Amino acid sequence: MPQHPAPEREFTMRFTSTPRGARLARRLVSHRLNDWGQPYATPVNETLTLIAAELTANAVRHGHVPGRDFHLQLTLAEGTFRIEVTDTRAEKQPPSTPPTPDTASESGRGLLLVAALADAWGVTPRLAAPGKTVWAQLRVPTGSRPHMLPAAPRPTDSVSAYEHNTESFPATSSLPRDGLGLRPGAASYGDRHP
């Protein structure tokens, strides 16, 4: 297994394997990136949040095992962000090359999107337990790295998503936001506004 450089920043948390857990994970990734100096409306924040949304939605849809959570880790090391989403379903592996979905299909484009947005992505088996980790990396362009803010306190690995209020974290979009960082009227994942 390849060694990764020691992270400058790290966020890790377990989430319930539900759409609500995936939504909370997406929001926390965006919030953490903002804390790390990548503001909400920047391309880096929006791209990584979209990648996190796709990987967590896949963990819920394809990696769900009843009674098991999924795990998300976001790191920054040497100018590269890495998102890892681990689930406990080992037998359902994503293809190494995402297939082209049927044009009439409403789903099946998540990994194509991840492949298009990320600099690299892949799947690795879990070593100590059943399951897999789907990961994606994005390098930050030289010169676009703003001053890093102090890291916010990290939750412990044993914290679960259902223990948190999901409405306290900002949604991500380049649409106008109110003073709290939320789009007016947006409260759930997948909201579509003109």
Side-chain angles (χ1 to χ4, degrees):
M1 177 170 241
Q3 294 296 320
H4 303 291
E8 301 162 26
R9 302 284 179 157
E10 182 175 24
F11 168 72
T12 183
M13 185 179 269
R14 279 187 359 208
F15 297 89
T16 58
S17 189
T18 63
R20 182 178 181 184
R23 181 175 60 246
L24 178 58
R26 172 185 62 88
R27 287 181 167 196
L28 286 174
V29 164
S30 180
H31 185 69
R32 192 56 46 141
L33 289 166
N34 182 67
D35 288 349
W36 292 354
Q38 298 294 336
Y40 296 113
T42 61
V44 170
N45 190 307
E46 290 185 343
T47 299
L48 286 166
T49 300
L50 183 55
I51 291 170
E54 293 299 336
L55 295 183
T56 58
N58 283 349
V60 170
R61 175 177 275 190
H62 305 293
H64 175 74
V65 173
R68 303 287 178 167
D69 297 338
F70 71 87
H71 182 267
L72 179 134
Q73 182 174 27
L74 172 68
T75 57
L76 171 62
E78 297 179 359
T80 299
F81 286 99
R82 182 178 175 95
I83 297 174
E84 297 181 1
V85 177
T86 302
D87 63 59
T88 55
R89 192 154 205 189
E91 74 277 5
K92 278 196 123 174
Q93 297 282 330
S96 58
T97 304
T100 304
D102 176 15
T103 56
S105 175
E106 292 183 12
S107 63
R109 293 172 180 79
L111 286 179
L112 285 171
L113 190 58
V114 170
L117 294 173
D119 293 317
W121 76 279
V123 181
T124 55
R126 287 177 73 187
L127 299 178
K132 64 187 172 298
T133 298
V134 183
W135 56 269
Q137 293 182 173
L138 182 69
R139 285 184 293 281
V140 179
T142 306
S144 71
R145 234 171 127 182
H147 174 69
M148 299 293 280
L149 302 173
R154 283 183 30 193
T156 63
D157 224 13
S158 62
V159 175
S160 204
Y162 54 81
E163 296 173 4
H164 298 280
N165 174 0
T166 61
E167 297 311 312
S168 64
F169 298 100
T172 58
S173 173
S174 56
L175 297 173
R177 301 169 191 280
D178 65 15
L180 300 174
L182 296 172
R183 295 182 309 214
S188 67
Y189 177 70
D191 287 341
R192 303 209 187 271
H193 296 279

